[in-house]
Amino acid sequence: MIRIQQLPPTVITKIAAGEVIERPASVVKELLENSLDAGSQRIDIDVEQGGIELIRLVDDGHGIHPEDLTLAFASHATSKLRTADDLFRVSTMGFRGEALASIGSVAQVTLQSRQGSDPYGAEISCHGGELSPVKSWNGSPGTRIEVRHLFFNTPVRRKFLRSIPTEIGHICEAVTRVALANPRVHLLLRHNGKLVYEVPASAGLKERIGLFFGAEVRDQLHIIEAGPATARLSGFIADPACERGNNKLQYLFLNSRWIRDRSLGHAVQEAYRGLIMTGRYPVYFLFLDVPPDSVDVNVHPTKCEVRFRDSQALYALILSVIRDKFRRLDLTPRIPVSTTPTFNPTPAPQPMSPMSPMTSSGFTPAPPPPLPPLPAFTREAAPQQPAAAAPAAPAEDFPLLRSQPVNKVIQLHDAYLVLETPEGMLVIDQHALHERILFEQLKQRIRQGSLETQRLLIPEPVDLRPEEAARVLDQQTPLGELGLGVEDFGGGTVLVTSYPAILGDRSPTNLLRAVVEHLTSHDRAPTREVLLNDLLSLMACHAAVKAGDPLKPEEIDSLIAQRHLAQDTHHCPHGRPTALLFSRHDLDRHFRRI
Ligand code: ADP
Ligand code: MG
């Protein structure tokens, strides 16, 4: 016979614990949040054996009243919420009253606390849900909590724990998130008695980022500060050149709480589109502040996922603020010459100066100094005079601008242009730059409806596999908007009837084949905007001069002059840089002139 039974409270708590407490780092996170809610200025954490043996946290917060100690371990007991309406006004990290009950049910916990105004404090233990009597405790104001033998009574969960380095890695991550979101709190983490982090209260956000992720990241940050009344976005985004192979250095905080949000993460990724290669990830530390009633934080047991009332508006805000920031920056990647791999300076006799970094092993090159920011290049200063006729421009659409004579340019390997700029030496990838310029021009023409197309007197048949032909014909309209006219000839053959004039004498068949490859490489049909963007970059790529094309001097001049006209010319549409700057300062330094 099957009957329904009410589960005993101890089992209910253990079930809840399964959601909240996954591993030692979850305990650290919950305890840290309690200390923050208590207004602590300083929090010391000691862990042993990756937190499995011991997690001890000591704070200087407002403490717990002795009579409330037993309640602290009761489930759904909290000092942070009174009514259901309060759920939509939450400004504390906790409010569910679940954490201590959960931790107490799966570990051996001792909680000691004293409120500042009281002459003495009290302590209580909770072992696997069993409460001890309350005793008096003679410690300093604040709270001290020890969590031992996590999962001692749930062997299955204990088995799920990973190696000590993995668990301590998760703990470090939990501490990092809190440290980034709370720059005024002094934090200390020790593992098996050894100091892991100590972050003084004086270290602001940027310094904290440097502390956790190194100077390389810290020195490539751009500040973000945007604050319309409804939502405020602040923090730092790293330069596109600082990209990574994974998304670990992407931090998004909502009202000081670390969150995971696919949509908002996508907004940032989208803002970097074209500036970093596909498959690479930008680095960012962003803080979004919204009124508590515009977000529901009660949709996930650990509150790291939330539901926004208007997530589209936030998406748009993030995208536009970051895009806007990039528009105002010069993003030409700068080469710290010292990292050039092939050049290995032999120790040369050095003019000794008290500043020379000499070590016993010889001369150690000083780390490159922080690079002075380039003045953003001024597009307004670009030449206004109309171009003279282009006798031999690489493509039809390539007006030659002679008004800004560029001296001292050389072409190397028929692929790179090297030129002198006020800042130093610029090396340009001729294909990447031309591709970006054509991309911008095409985009502008399409926006203005003035794209030139070339009709083919005799349409060119292109044989495709039937499913390929279907994919292409599906996109007949957007392709037509880009000047690539295609028609069905039946039997897998597609006729090219027109092509964008920008292609010049390059084969429209090859362009079509590239389009086919692009369309069939995606499972789902891309959105119209993405498709247009992708096709534009394909066309630009096909029409642009290639590496290996020797250029005439006037073509070189033209290309370089155009660099100042098009927007966003530091990166090709696929996100590769178009130019690299070797600064004068670095050159001087490495040739030991300064
Ligand atoms: P919540 O944080 O959701 O309220 P918890 O189970 O984490 O639930 O904590 C229960 C209660 O214990 C809190 O509401 C708070 O009043 C008290 N508390 C826990 N940790 C601390 C601390 N470090 N300092 C002061 N009070 C604390
Ligand atoms: Mg809590």
Side-chain angles (χ1 to χ4, degrees), residues 255-310:
N255 296 350
S256 299
R257 186 195 298 281
W258 179 87
I259 60 159
R260 197 171 27 222
D261 190 284
R262 278 174 72 97
S263 162
L264 299 186
H266 186 264
V268 186
Q269 190 82 32
E270 190 61 19
Y272 276 83
R273 187 137 76 109
L275 297 175
I276 56 179
M277 313 249 293
T278 32
R280 306 288 297 175
Y281 296 83
V283 170
Y284 56 84
F285 308 89
L286 287 171
F287 295 78
L288 195 58
D289 287 287
V290 302
D293 65 351
S294 69
V295 55
D296 188 353
V297 283
N298 190 27
V299 294
H300 191 274
T302 65
K303 311 174 204 91
C304 56
E305 279 166 29
V306 301
R307 196 182 296 131
F308 293 106
R309 207 194 280 163
D310 190 354

Side-chain angles (χ1 to χ4, degrees), residues 21-41:
I21 307 301
E22 192 193 342
R23 55 179 4 133
S26 331
V27 175
V28 172
K29 168 188 176 287
E30 293 295 337
L31 298 184
L32 274 171
E33 292 188 351
N34 281 345
S35 299
L36 292 171
D37 282 344
S40 306
Q41 302 292 305

Side-chain angles (χ1 to χ4, degrees), residues 480-530:
E481 279 173 47
L482 295 173
L484 190 64
V486 288
E487 273 168 30
D488 188 11
F489 191 66
T493 302
V494 169
L495 294 178
V496 180
T497 57
S498 66
Y499 62 91
I502 207 160
L503 276 187
D505 55 4
R506 298 188 195 260
S507 150
T509 306
N510 285 349
L511 175 63
L512 183 68
R513 291 213 178 272
V515 169
V516 168
E517 198 173 298
H518 180 75
L519 289 176
T520 48
S521 66
H522 295 278
D523 289 342
R524 283 184 301 140
T527 65
R528 209 188 101 88
E529 201 198 335
V530 170

Side-chain angles (χ1 to χ4, degrees), residues 284-443:
Y284 56 84
F285 308 89
L286 287 171
F287 295 78
L288 195 58
D289 287 287
V290 302
D293 65 351
S294 69
V295 55
D296 188 353
V297 283
N298 190 27
V299 294
H300 191 274
T302 65
K303 311 174 204 91
C304 56
E305 279 166 29
V306 301
R307 196 182 296 131
F308 293 106
R309 207 194 280 163
D310 190 354
S311 78
Q312 274 181 2
L314 296 175
Y315 185 100
L317 171 77
I318 290 179
L319 182 61
S320 67
V321 168
I322 300 179
R323 275 270 152 198
D324 202 54
K325 182 78 193 182
F326 284 146
R327 261 193 287 280
R328 283 179 282 123
L329 292 171
D330 179 358
L331 297 173
T332 305
R334 346 197 82 232
I335 297 287
V337 184
S338 52
T339 62
T340 309
T342 49
F343 178 64
N344 195 3
T346 40
Q350 283 294 306
M352 280 293 281
S353 87
M355 302 298 284
S356 300
M358 297 289 288
T359 65
S360 52
S361 59
F363 177 71
T364 321
L371 293 161
L374 255 191
F377 74 76
T378 44
R379 295 186 184 96
E380 304 82 86
Q384 297 300 317
Q385 292 95 316
E396 295 287 326
D397 236 357
F398 213 91
L400 185 62
L401 291 152
R402 314 273 358 201
S403 51
Q404 188 184 7
V406 191
N407 297 318
K408 305 184 200 166
V409 188
I410 49 168
Q411 189 187 29
L412 297 183
H413 306 292
D414 289 343
Y416 299 108
L417 307 177
V418 181
L419 66 140
E420 179 189 359
T421 73
E423 295 83 27
M425 178 179 81
L426 196 65
V427 182
I428 293 177
D429 177 325
Q430 64 186 37
H431 171 72
L433 175 61
H434 194 202
E435 186 180 3
R436 169 51 85 176
I437 291 169
L438 292 179
F439 177 80
E440 295 283 334
Q441 283 179 348
L442 278 166
K443 211 157 75 174

Side-chain angles (χ1 to χ4, degrees), residues 70-90:
T70 41
L71 264 183
F73 283 102
S75 50
H76 309 300
T78 177
S79 57
K80 302 165 195 175
L81 198 74
R82 292 274 176 266
T83 69
D85 285 348
D86 291 347
L87 265 181
F88 303 97
R89 293 192 278 266
V90 174

